[in-house]
PDB file of all heavy atoms in Angstrom:
ATOM      1  N   GLN A1164     -11.590 -34.558 -12.822  1.00 81.00           N
ATOM      2  CA  GLN A1164     -11.516 -33.391 -11.969  1.00 81.00           C
ATOM      3  C   GLN A1164     -10.643 -32.332 -12.633  1.00 81.00           C
ATOM      4  O   GLN A1164      -9.634 -32.658 -13.260  1.00 81.00           O
ATOM      5  CB  GLN A1164     -10.922 -33.754 -10.602  1.00 81.00           C
ATOM      6  CG  GLN A1164     -11.010 -32.662  -9.565  1.00 81.00           C
ATOM      7  CD  GLN A1164     -12.420 -32.424  -9.080  1.00 81.00           C
ATOM      8  OE1 GLN A1164     -13.330 -33.216  -9.377  1.00 81.00           O
ATOM      9  NE2 GLN A1164     -12.623 -31.330  -8.384  1.00 81.00           N
ATOM     10  N   VAL A1165     -11.026 -31.088 -12.485  1.00 87.00           N
ATOM     11  CA  VAL A1165     -10.293 -29.978 -13.070  1.00 87.00           C
ATOM     12  C   VAL A1165      -9.946 -28.998 -11.957  1.00 87.00           C
ATOM     13  O   VAL A1165     -10.804 -28.621 -11.164  1.00 87.00           O
ATOM     14  CB  VAL A1165     -11.127 -29.255 -14.146  1.00 87.00           C
ATOM     15  CG1 VAL A1165     -10.372 -28.048 -14.674  1.00 87.00           C
ATOM     16  CG2 VAL A1165     -11.492 -30.216 -15.264  1.00 87.00           C
ATOM     17  N   GLN A1166      -8.695 -28.600 -11.890  1.00 92.00           N
ATOM     18  CA  GLN A1166      -8.288 -27.533 -10.975  1.00 92.00           C
ATOM     19  C   GLN A1166      -8.101 -26.252 -11.773  1.00 92.00           C
ATOM     20  O   GLN A1166      -7.461 -26.259 -12.828  1.00 92.00           O
ATOM     21  CB  GLN A1166      -6.983 -27.881 -10.266  1.00 92.00           C
ATOM     22  CG  GLN A1166      -7.141 -28.833  -9.091  1.00 92.00           C
ATOM     23  CD  GLN A1166      -7.285 -30.271  -9.547  1.00 92.00           C
ATOM     24  OE1 GLN A1166      -6.546 -30.739 -10.377  1.00 92.00           O
ATOM     25  NE2 GLN A1166      -8.250 -30.975  -8.971  1.00 92.00           N
ATOM     26  N   LEU A1167      -8.673 -25.191 -11.264  1.00 95.00           N
ATOM     27  CA  LEU A1167      -8.532 -23.880 -11.868  1.00 95.00           C
ATOM     28  C   LEU A1167      -7.721 -23.000 -10.926  1.00 95.00           C
ATOM     29  O   LEU A1167      -7.952 -23.011  -9.709  1.00 95.00           O
ATOM     30  CB  LEU A1167      -9.904 -23.243 -12.120  1.00 95.00           C
ATOM     31  CG  LEU A1167     -10.879 -24.033 -12.987  1.00 95.00           C
ATOM     32  CD1 LEU A1167     -12.221 -23.304 -13.085  1.00 95.00           C
ATOM     33  CD2 LEU A1167     -10.302 -24.241 -14.379  1.00 95.00           C
ATOM     34  N   VAL A1168      -6.797 -22.241 -11.490  1.00 95.00           N
ATOM     35  CA  VAL A1168      -5.942 -21.378 -10.678  1.00 95.00           C
ATOM     36  C   VAL A1168      -5.970 -19.973 -11.251  1.00 95.00           C
ATOM     37  O   VAL A1168      -5.564 -19.762 -12.408  1.00 95.00           O
ATOM     38  CB  VAL A1168      -4.499 -21.902 -10.627  1.00 95.00           C
ATOM     39  CG1 VAL A1168      -3.634 -20.971  -9.786  1.00 95.00           C
ATOM     40  CG2 VAL A1168      -4.464 -23.316 -10.071  1.00 95.00           C
ATOM     41  N   GLU A1169      -6.432 -19.033 -10.437  1.00 96.00           N
ATOM     42  CA  GLU A1169      -6.460 -17.630 -10.841  1.00 96.00           C
ATOM     43  C   GLU A1169      -5.169 -16.937 -10.426  1.00 96.00           C
ATOM     44  O   GLU A1169      -4.539 -17.315  -9.438  1.00 96.00           O
ATOM     45  CB  GLU A1169      -7.647 -16.888 -10.198  1.00 96.00           C
ATOM     46  CG  GLU A1169      -9.005 -17.471 -10.474  1.00 96.00           C
ATOM     47  CD  GLU A1169      -9.469 -18.399  -9.376  1.00 96.00           C
ATOM     48  OE1 GLU A1169      -8.623 -18.924  -8.642  1.00 96.00           O
ATOM     49  OE2 GLU A1169     -10.711 -18.599  -9.251  1.00 96.00           O
ATOM     50  N   SER A1170      -4.832 -15.903 -11.157  1.00 96.00           N
ATOM     51  CA  SER A1170      -3.704 -15.048 -10.812  1.00 96.00           C
ATOM     52  C   SER A1170      -3.970 -13.659 -11.355  1.00 96.00           C
ATOM     53  O   SER A1170      -4.873 -13.468 -12.183  1.00 96.00           O
ATOM     54  CB  SER A1170      -2.402 -15.610 -11.375  1.00 96.00           C
ATOM     55  OG  SER A1170      -2.456 -15.689 -12.783  1.00 96.00           O
ATOM     56  N   GLY A1171      -3.171 -12.699 -10.879  1.00 97.00           N
ATOM     57  CA  GLY A1171      -3.259 -11.352 -11.416  1.00 97.00           C
ATOM     58  C   GLY A1171      -3.970 -10.356 -10.536  1.00 97.00           C
ATOM     59  O   GLY A1171      -4.021  -9.165 -10.866  1.00 97.00           O
ATOM     60  N   GLY A1172      -4.520 -10.808  -9.425  1.00 97.00           N
ATOM     61  CA  GLY A1172      -5.166  -9.866  -8.527  1.00 97.00           C
ATOM     62  C   GLY A1172      -4.149  -8.997  -7.816  1.00 97.00           C
ATOM     63  O   GLY A1172      -2.935  -9.192  -7.939  1.00 97.00           O
ATOM     64  N   GLY A1173      -4.651  -8.016  -7.080  1.00 97.00           N
ATOM     65  CA  GLY A1173      -3.745  -7.140  -6.345  1.00 97.00           C
ATOM     66  C   GLY A1173      -4.429  -5.881  -5.896  1.00 97.00           C
ATOM     67  O   GLY A1173      -5.662  -5.776  -5.912  1.00 97.00           O
ATOM     68  N   LEU A1174      -3.601  -4.927  -5.514  1.00 97.00           N
ATOM     69  CA  LEU A1174      -4.050  -3.635  -5.027  1.00 97.00           C
ATOM     70  C   LEU A1174      -3.818  -2.601  -6.117  1.00 97.00           C
ATOM     71  O   LEU A1174      -2.716  -2.529  -6.688  1.00 97.00           O
ATOM     72  CB  LEU A1174      -3.254  -3.275  -3.771  1.00 97.00           C
ATOM     73  CG  LEU A1174      -3.627  -2.010  -3.019  1.00 97.00           C
ATOM     74  CD1 LEU A1174      -4.998  -2.159  -2.391  1.00 97.00           C
ATOM     75  CD2 LEU A1174      -2.582  -1.735  -1.939  1.00 97.00           C
ATOM     76  N   VAL A1175      -4.844  -1.803  -6.405  1.00 98.00           N
ATOM     77  CA  VAL A1175      -4.731  -0.826  -7.479  1.00 98.00           C
ATOM     78  C   VAL A1175      -5.527   0.420  -7.102  1.00 98.00           C
ATOM     79  O   VAL A1175      -6.520   0.340  -6.370  1.00 98.00           O
ATOM     80  CB  VAL A1175      -5.226  -1.433  -8.819  1.00 98.00           C
ATOM     81  CG1 VAL A1175      -6.703  -1.758  -8.753  1.00 98.00           C
ATOM     82  CG2 VAL A1175      -4.911  -0.527  -9.990  1.00 98.00           C
ATOM     83  N   GLN A1176      -5.084   1.556  -7.600  1.00 98.00           N
ATOM     84  CA  GLN A1176      -5.808   2.808  -7.384  1.00 98.00           C
ATOM     85  C   GLN A1176      -7.027   2.862  -8.297  1.00 98.00           C
ATOM     86  O   GLN A1176      -7.033   2.273  -9.390  1.00 98.00           O
ATOM     87  CB  GLN A1176      -4.903   3.994  -7.678  1.00 98.00           C
ATOM     88  CG  GLN A1176      -3.704   4.129  -6.757  1.00 98.00           C
ATOM     89  CD  GLN A1176      -4.093   4.598  -5.377  1.00 98.00           C
ATOM     90  OE1 GLN A1176      -5.107   5.269  -5.180  1.00 98.00           O
ATOM     91  NE2 GLN A1176      -3.276   4.231  -4.387  1.00 98.00           N
ATOM     92  N   ALA A1177      -8.034   3.567  -7.845  1.00 98.00           N
ATOM     93  CA  ALA A1177      -9.211   3.768  -8.683  1.00 98.00           C
ATOM     94  C   ALA A1177      -8.801   4.380 -10.025  1.00 98.00           C
ATOM     95  O   ALA A1177      -7.947   5.273 -10.068  1.00 98.00           O
ATOM     96  CB  ALA A1177     -10.210   4.680  -7.978  1.00 98.00           C
ATOM     97  N   GLY A1178      -9.404   3.851 -11.090  1.00 97.00           N
ATOM     98  CA  GLY A1178      -9.045   4.280 -12.429  1.00 97.00           C
ATOM     99  C   GLY A1178      -7.983   3.410 -13.075  1.00 97.00           C
ATOM    100  O   GLY A1178      -7.733   3.536 -14.284  1.00 97.00           O
ATOM    101  N   GLY A1179      -7.375   2.566 -12.295  1.00 98.00           N
ATOM    102  CA  GLY A1179      -6.315   1.708 -12.797  1.00 98.00           C
ATOM    103  C   GLY A1179      -6.852   0.450 -13.463  1.00 98.00           C
ATOM    104  O   GLY A1179      -8.066   0.277 -13.628  1.00 98.00           O
ATOM    105  N   SER A1180      -5.919  -0.417 -13.843  1.00 98.00           N
ATOM    106  CA  SER A1180      -6.262  -1.645 -14.576  1.00 98.00           C
ATOM    107  C   SER A1180      -5.570  -2.849 -13.961  1.00 98.00           C
ATOM    108  O   SER A1180      -4.494  -2.731 -13.362  1.00 98.00           O
ATOM    109  CB  SER A1180      -5.831  -1.528 -16.037  1.00 98.00           C
ATOM    110  OG  SER A1180      -6.496  -0.475 -16.703  1.00 98.00           O
ATOM    111  N   LEU A1181      -6.201  -3.989 -14.135  1.00 98.00           N
ATOM    112  CA  LEU A1181      -5.619  -5.280 -13.787  1.00 98.00           C
ATOM    113  C   LEU A1181      -6.061  -6.303 -14.826  1.00 98.00           C
ATOM    114  O   LEU A1181      -7.136  -6.160 -15.426  1.00 98.00           O
ATOM    115  CB  LEU A1181      -6.085  -5.754 -12.404  1.00 98.00           C
ATOM    116  CG  LEU A1181      -5.488  -5.102 -11.160  1.00 98.00           C
ATOM    117  CD1 LEU A1181      -6.199  -5.607  -9.908  1.00 98.00           C
ATOM    118  CD2 LEU A1181      -3.994  -5.353 -11.063  1.00 98.00           C
ATOM    119  N   ARG A1182      -5.249  -7.315 -15.002  1.00 98.00           N
ATOM    120  CA  ARG A1182      -5.611  -8.419 -15.879  1.00 98.00           C
ATOM    121  C   ARG A1182      -5.546  -9.713 -15.088  1.00 98.00           C
ATOM    122  O   ARG A1182      -4.477 -10.093 -14.609  1.00 98.00           O
ATOM    123  CB  ARG A1182      -4.671  -8.502 -17.071  1.00 98.00           C
ATOM    124  CG  ARG A1182      -5.118  -9.499 -18.132  1.00 98.00           C
ATOM    125  CD  ARG A1182      -4.005  -9.769 -19.105  1.00 98.00           C
ATOM    126  NE  ARG A1182      -4.481 -10.406 -20.329  1.00 98.00           N
ATOM    127  CZ  ARG A1182      -3.700 -11.120 -21.135  1.00 98.00           C
ATOM    128  NH1 ARG A1182      -2.421 -11.281 -20.838  1.00 98.00           N
ATOM    129  NH2 ARG A1182      -4.200 -11.666 -22.229  1.00 98.00           N
ATOM    130  N   LEU A1183      -6.667 -10.361 -14.954  1.00 98.00           N
ATOM    131  CA  LEU A1183      -6.730 -11.643 -14.281  1.00 98.00           C
ATOM    132  C   LEU A1183      -6.561 -12.769 -15.293  1.00 98.00           C
ATOM    133  O   LEU A1183      -7.022 -12.671 -16.432  1.00 98.00           O
ATOM    134  CB  LEU A1183      -8.059 -11.813 -13.551  1.00 98.00           C
ATOM    135  CG  LEU A1183      -8.445 -10.727 -12.550  1.00 98.00           C
ATOM    136  CD1 LEU A1183      -9.751 -11.092 -11.862  1.00 98.00           C
ATOM    137  CD2 LEU A1183      -7.355 -10.477 -11.553  1.00 98.00           C
ATOM    138  N   SER A1184      -5.912 -13.847 -14.842  1.00 96.00           N
ATOM    139  CA  SER A1184      -5.739 -15.028 -15.666  1.00 96.00           C
ATOM    140  C   SER A1184      -6.239 -16.250 -14.915  1.00 96.00           C
ATOM    141  O   SER A1184      -6.163 -16.305 -13.689  1.00 96.00           O
ATOM    142  CB  SER A1184      -4.267 -15.229 -16.018  1.00 96.00           C
ATOM    143  OG  SER A1184      -3.768 -14.157 -16.758  1.00 96.00           O
ATOM    144  N   CYS A1185      -6.710 -17.206 -15.655  1.00 95.00           N
ATOM    145  CA  CYS A1185      -7.176 -18.461 -15.066  1.00 95.00           C
ATOM    146  C   CYS A1185      -6.605 -19.602 -15.889  1.00 95.00           C
ATOM    147  O   CYS A1185      -6.859 -19.691 -17.094  1.00 95.00           O
ATOM    148  CB  CYS A1185      -8.696 -18.516 -15.049  1.00 95.00           C
ATOM    149  SG  CYS A1185      -9.382 -20.079 -14.454  1.00 95.00           S
ATOM    150  N   ALA A1186      -5.837 -20.462 -15.224  1.00 93.00           N
ATOM    151  CA  ALA A1186      -5.263 -21.633 -15.876  1.00 93.00           C
ATOM    152  C   ALA A1186      -5.982 -22.890 -15.393  1.00 93.00           C
ATOM    153  O   ALA A1186      -6.448 -22.952 -14.252  1.00 93.00           O
ATOM    154  CB  ALA A1186      -3.775 -21.729 -15.559  1.00 93.00           C
ATOM    155  N   ALA A1187      -6.036 -23.883 -16.265  1.00 90.00           N
ATOM    156  CA  ALA A1187      -6.682 -25.148 -15.928  1.00 90.00           C
ATOM    157  C   ALA A1187      -5.633 -26.258 -15.878  1.00 90.00           C
ATOM    158  O   ALA A1187      -4.633 -26.217 -16.588  1.00 90.00           O
ATOM    159  CB  ALA A1187      -7.753 -25.490 -16.952  1.00 90.00           C
ATOM    160  N   SER A1188      -5.890 -27.252 -15.036  1.00 88.00           N
ATOM    161  CA  SER A1188      -4.929 -28.341 -14.829  1.00 88.00           C
ATOM    162  C   SER A1188      -4.902 -29.328 -15.989  1.00 88.00           C
ATOM    163  O   SER A1188      -3.965 -30.108 -16.115  1.00 88.00           O
ATOM    164  CB  SER A1188      -5.257 -29.073 -13.529  1.00 88.00           C
ATOM    165  OG  SER A1188      -6.576 -29.619 -13.583  1.00 88.00           O
ATOM    166  N   ARG A1189      -5.931 -29.296 -16.805  1.00 84.00           N
ATOM    167  CA  ARG A1189      -5.949 -30.191 -17.961  1.00 84.00           C
ATOM    168  C   ARG A1189      -6.808 -29.578 -19.044  1.00 84.00           C
ATOM    169  O   ARG A1189      -7.531 -28.612 -18.814  1.00 84.00           O
ATOM    170  CB  ARG A1189      -6.482 -31.571 -17.576  1.00 84.00           C
ATOM    171  CG  ARG A1189      -7.929 -31.596 -17.113  1.00 84.00           C
ATOM    172  CD  ARG A1189      -8.429 -33.034 -16.989  1.00 84.00           C
ATOM    173  NE  ARG A1189      -9.806 -33.129 -16.538  1.00 84.00           N
ATOM    174  CZ  ARG A1189     -10.863 -32.993 -17.316  1.00 84.00           C
ATOM    175  NH1 ARG A1189     -10.705 -32.746 -18.602  1.00 84.00           N
ATOM    176  NH2 ARG A1189     -12.080 -33.145 -16.820  1.00 84.00           N
ATOM    177  N   VAL A1190      -6.693 -30.134 -20.221  1.00 81.00           N
ATOM    178  CA  VAL A1190      -7.500 -29.656 -21.337  1.00 81.00           C
ATOM    179  C   VAL A1190      -8.968 -29.986 -21.081  1.00 81.00           C
ATOM    180  O   VAL A1190      -9.303 -31.088 -20.642  1.00 81.00           O
ATOM    181  CB  VAL A1190      -7.037 -30.298 -22.657  1.00 81.00           C
ATOM    182  CG1 VAL A1190      -7.967 -29.894 -23.798  1.00 81.00           C
ATOM    183  CG2 VAL A1190      -5.606 -29.896 -22.967  1.00 81.00           C
ATOM    184  N   ILE A1191      -9.812 -29.030 -21.352  1.00 80.00           N
ATOM    185  CA  ILE A1191     -11.256 -29.233 -21.257  1.00 80.00           C
ATOM    186  C   ILE A1191     -11.795 -29.227 -22.681  1.00 80.00           C
ATOM    187  O   ILE A1191     -11.740 -28.210 -23.363  1.00 80.00           O
ATOM    188  CB  ILE A1191     -11.923 -28.128 -20.421  1.00 80.00           C
ATOM    189  CG1 ILE A1191     -11.379 -28.160 -18.994  1.00 80.00           C
ATOM    190  CG2 ILE A1191     -13.439 -28.299 -20.418  1.00 80.00           C
ATOM    191  CD1 ILE A1191     -11.873 -27.032 -18.116  1.00 80.00           C
ATOM    192  N   PHE A1192     -12.276 -30.349 -23.106  1.00 79.00           N
ATOM    193  CA  PHE A1192     -12.645 -30.493 -24.509  1.00 79.00           C
ATOM    194  C   PHE A1192     -13.986 -29.839 -24.834  1.00 79.00           C
ATOM    195  O   PHE A1192     -14.209 -29.415 -25.958  1.00 79.00           O
ATOM    196  CB  PHE A1192     -12.671 -31.966 -24.886  1.00 79.00           C
ATOM    197  CG  PHE A1192     -11.304 -32.594 -24.888  1.00 79.00           C
ATOM    198  CD1 PHE A1192     -10.881 -33.370 -23.824  1.00 79.00           C
ATOM    199  CD2 PHE A1192     -10.425 -32.385 -25.936  1.00 79.00           C
ATOM    200  CE1 PHE A1192      -9.616 -33.935 -23.810  1.00 79.00           C
ATOM    201  CE2 PHE A1192      -9.165 -32.944 -25.940  1.00 79.00           C
ATOM    202  CZ  PHE A1192      -8.759 -33.719 -24.876  1.00 79.00           C
ATOM    203  N   SER A1193     -14.868 -29.784 -23.868  1.00 86.00           N
ATOM    204  CA  SER A1193     -16.141 -29.130 -24.128  1.00 86.00           C
ATOM    205  C   SER A1193     -16.636 -28.487 -22.847  1.00 86.00           C
ATOM    206  O   SER A1193     -16.354 -28.965 -21.753  1.00 86.00           O
ATOM    207  CB  SER A1193     -17.175 -30.128 -24.660  1.00 86.00           C
ATOM    208  OG  SER A1193     -17.474 -31.089 -23.682  1.00 86.00           O
ATOM    209  N   PHE A1194     -17.343 -27.409 -23.004  1.00 88.00           N
ATOM    210  CA  PHE A1194     -17.849 -26.702 -21.841  1.00 88.00           C
ATOM    211  C   PHE A1194     -19.146 -26.013 -22.210  1.00 88.00           C
ATOM    212  O   PHE A1194     -19.457 -25.808 -23.389  1.00 88.00           O
ATOM    213  CB  PHE A1194     -16.826 -25.676 -21.342  1.00 88.00           C
ATOM    214  CG  PHE A1194     -16.575 -24.557 -22.324  1.00 88.00           C
ATOM    215  CD1 PHE A1194     -17.241 -23.345 -22.199  1.00 88.00           C
ATOM    216  CD2 PHE A1194     -15.673 -24.721 -23.354  1.00 88.00           C
ATOM    217  CE1 PHE A1194     -17.007 -22.317 -23.098  1.00 88.00           C
ATOM    218  CE2 PHE A1194     -15.435 -23.702 -24.255  1.00 88.00           C
ATOM    219  CZ  PHE A1194     -16.098 -22.499 -24.133  1.00 88.00           C
ATOM    220  N   ASN A1195     -19.915 -25.648 -21.222  1.00 91.00           N
ATOM    221  CA  ASN A1195     -21.132 -24.871 -21.446  1.00 91.00           C
ATOM    222  C   ASN A1195     -20.819 -23.374 -21.352  1.00 91.00           C
ATOM    223  O   ASN A1195     -21.172 -22.605 -22.238  1.00 91.00           O
ATOM    224  CB  ASN A1195     -22.208 -25.262 -20.446  1.00 91.00           C
ATOM    225  CG  ASN A1195     -22.647 -26.700 -20.633  1.00 91.00           C
ATOM    226  OD1 ASN A1195     -22.679 -27.213 -21.746  1.00 91.00           O
ATOM    227  ND2 ASN A1195     -22.980 -27.362 -19.539  1.00 91.00           N
ATOM    228  N   THR A1196     -20.185 -22.986 -20.255  1.00 93.00           N
ATOM    229  CA  THR A1196     -19.749 -21.604 -20.090  1.00 93.00           C
ATOM    230  C   THR A1196     -18.416 -21.565 -19.354  1.00 93.00           C
ATOM    231  O   THR A1196     -18.088 -22.471 -18.583  1.00 93.00           O
ATOM    232  CB  THR A1196     -20.763 -20.750 -19.299  1.00 93.00           C
ATOM    233  OG1 THR A1196     -20.888 -21.269 -17.975  1.00 93.00           O
ATOM    234  CG2 THR A1196     -22.120 -20.733 -19.972  1.00 93.00           C
ATOM    235  N   MET A1197     -17.651 -20.525 -19.603  1.00 94.00           N
ATOM    236  CA  MET A1197     -16.441 -20.206 -18.861  1.00 94.00           C
ATOM    237  C   MET A1197     -16.617 -18.766 -18.409  1.00 94.00           C
ATOM    238  O   MET A1197     -17.045 -17.926 -19.212  1.00 94.00           O
ATOM    239  CB  MET A1197     -15.204 -20.325 -19.752  1.00 94.00           C
ATOM    240  CG  MET A1197     -15.017 -21.690 -20.350  1.00 94.00           C
ATOM    241  SD  MET A1197     -13.750 -21.679 -21.644  1.00 94.00           S
ATOM    242  CE  MET A1197     -12.325 -21.163 -20.727  1.00 94.00           C
ATOM    243  N   GLY A1198     -16.292 -18.497 -17.160  1.00 96.00           N
ATOM    244  CA  GLY A1198     -16.551 -17.140 -16.729  1.00 96.00           C
ATOM    245  C   GLY A1198     -15.840 -16.727 -15.468  1.00 96.00           C
ATOM    246  O   GLY A1198     -15.073 -17.480 -14.866  1.00 96.00           O
ATOM    247  N   TRP A1199     -16.085 -15.492 -15.117  1.00 98.00           N
ATOM    248  CA  TRP A1199     -15.551 -14.877 -13.910  1.00 98.00           C
ATOM    249  C   TRP A1199     -16.708 -14.425 -13.024  1.00 98.00           C
ATOM    250  O   TRP A1199     -17.680 -13.830 -13.521  1.00 98.00           O
ATOM    251  CB  TRP A1199     -14.683 -13.674 -14.253  1.00 98.00           C
ATOM    252  CG  TRP A1199     -13.406 -14.024 -14.934  1.00 98.00           C
ATOM    253  CD1 TRP A1199     -13.174 -14.079 -16.279  1.00 98.00           C
ATOM    254  CD2 TRP A1199     -12.176 -14.371 -14.297  1.00 98.00           C
ATOM    255  NE1 TRP A1199     -11.880 -14.444 -16.517  1.00 98.00           N
ATOM    256  CE2 TRP A1199     -11.235 -14.632 -15.308  1.00 98.00           C
ATOM    257  CE3 TRP A1199     -11.766 -14.497 -12.963  1.00 98.00           C
ATOM    258  CZ2 TRP A1199      -9.918 -14.999 -15.038  1.00 98.00           C
ATOM    259  CZ3 TRP A1199     -10.465 -14.862 -12.692  1.00 98.00           C
ATOM    260  CH2 TRP A1199      -9.556 -15.111 -13.729  1.00 98.00           C
ATOM    261  N   TYR A1200     -16.572 -14.710 -11.751  1.00 98.00           N
ATOM    262  CA  TYR A1200     -17.521 -14.274 -10.744  1.00 98.00           C
ATOM    263  C   TYR A1200     -16.741 -13.526  -9.667  1.00 98.00           C
ATOM    264  O   TYR A1200     -15.517 -13.633  -9.594  1.00 98.00           O
ATOM    265  CB  TYR A1200     -18.235 -15.479 -10.120  1.00 98.00           C
ATOM    266  CG  TYR A1200     -19.160 -16.204 -11.071  1.00 98.00           C
ATOM    267  CD1 TYR A1200     -18.653 -16.999 -12.096  1.00 98.00           C
ATOM    268  CD2 TYR A1200     -20.536 -16.112 -10.940  1.00 98.00           C
ATOM    269  CE1 TYR A1200     -19.500 -17.663 -12.973  1.00 98.00           C
ATOM    270  CE2 TYR A1200     -21.397 -16.778 -11.803  1.00 98.00           C
ATOM    271  CZ  TYR A1200     -20.862 -17.548 -12.819  1.00 98.00           C
ATOM    272  OH  TYR A1200     -21.709 -18.210 -13.685  1.00 98.00           O
ATOM    273  N   ARG A1201     -17.452 -12.797  -8.835  1.00 98.00           N
ATOM    274  CA  ARG A1201     -16.795 -12.111  -7.725  1.00 98.00           C
ATOM    275  C   ARG A1201     -17.690 -12.111  -6.503  1.00 98.00           C
ATOM    276  O   ARG A1201     -18.910 -12.190  -6.618  1.00 98.00           O
ATOM    277  CB  ARG A1201     -16.407 -10.682  -8.115  1.00 98.00           C
ATOM    278  CG  ARG A1201     -17.572  -9.739  -8.335  1.00 98.00           C
ATOM    279  CD  ARG A1201     -17.067  -8.404  -8.845  1.00 98.00           C
ATOM    280  NE  ARG A1201     -18.168  -7.458  -9.068  1.00 98.00           N
ATOM    281  CZ  ARG A1201     -18.017  -6.272  -9.630  1.00 98.00           C
ATOM    282  NH1 ARG A1201     -16.803  -5.858 -10.048  1.00 98.00           N
ATOM    283  NH2 ARG A1201     -19.058  -5.471  -9.784  1.00 98.00           N
ATOM    284  N   GLN A1202     -17.025 -11.995  -5.361  1.00 98.00           N
ATOM    285  CA  GLN A1202     -17.747 -11.939  -4.103  1.00 98.00           C
ATOM    286  C   GLN A1202     -17.098 -10.909  -3.197  1.00 98.00           C
ATOM    287  O   GLN A1202     -15.928 -11.045  -2.832  1.00 98.00           O
ATOM    288  CB  GLN A1202     -17.788 -13.305  -3.420  1.00 98.00           C
ATOM    289  CG  GLN A1202     -18.679 -13.347  -2.203  1.00 98.00           C
ATOM    290  CD  GLN A1202     -18.947 -14.754  -1.721  1.00 98.00           C
ATOM    291  OE1 GLN A1202     -18.229 -15.692  -2.060  1.00 98.00           O
ATOM    292  NE2 GLN A1202     -20.009 -14.928  -0.937  1.00 98.00           N
ATOM    293  N   ALA A1203     -17.864  -9.885  -2.881  1.00 96.00           N
ATOM    294  CA  ALA A1203     -17.398  -8.860  -1.961  1.00 96.00           C
ATOM    295  C   ALA A1203     -17.807  -9.248  -0.541  1.00 96.00           C
ATOM    296  O   ALA A1203     -18.762 -10.022  -0.353  1.00 96.00           O
ATOM    297  CB  ALA A1203     -18.003  -7.512  -2.338  1.00 96.00           C
TER     298      ALA A1203
END
């Protein structure tokens, strides 16, 4: 089992920037894809 934890979100004005980070609870030796999704 792998736990993923995102950070870096927040409130920002239009035109601004944010950097999101995702940490994993353990090393993942192989993967098919790693990515970011969103849901409004």
Side-chain angles (χ1 to χ4, degrees):
Q1164 190 71 11
V1165 176
Q1166 280 79 47
L1167 303 177
V1168 179
E1169 303 95 337
S1170 61
L1174 185 67
V1175 64
Q1176 296 287 334
S1180 298
L1181 285 174
R1182 189 193 196 202
L1183 305 183
S1184 298
C1185 176
S1188 60
R1189 64 170 179 82
V1190 175
I1191 298 175
F1192 292 101
S1193 65
F1194 65 97
N1195 295 326
T1196 63
M1197 301 168 61
W1199 291 93
Y1200 292 73
R1201 68 186 180 187
Q1202 188 167 18

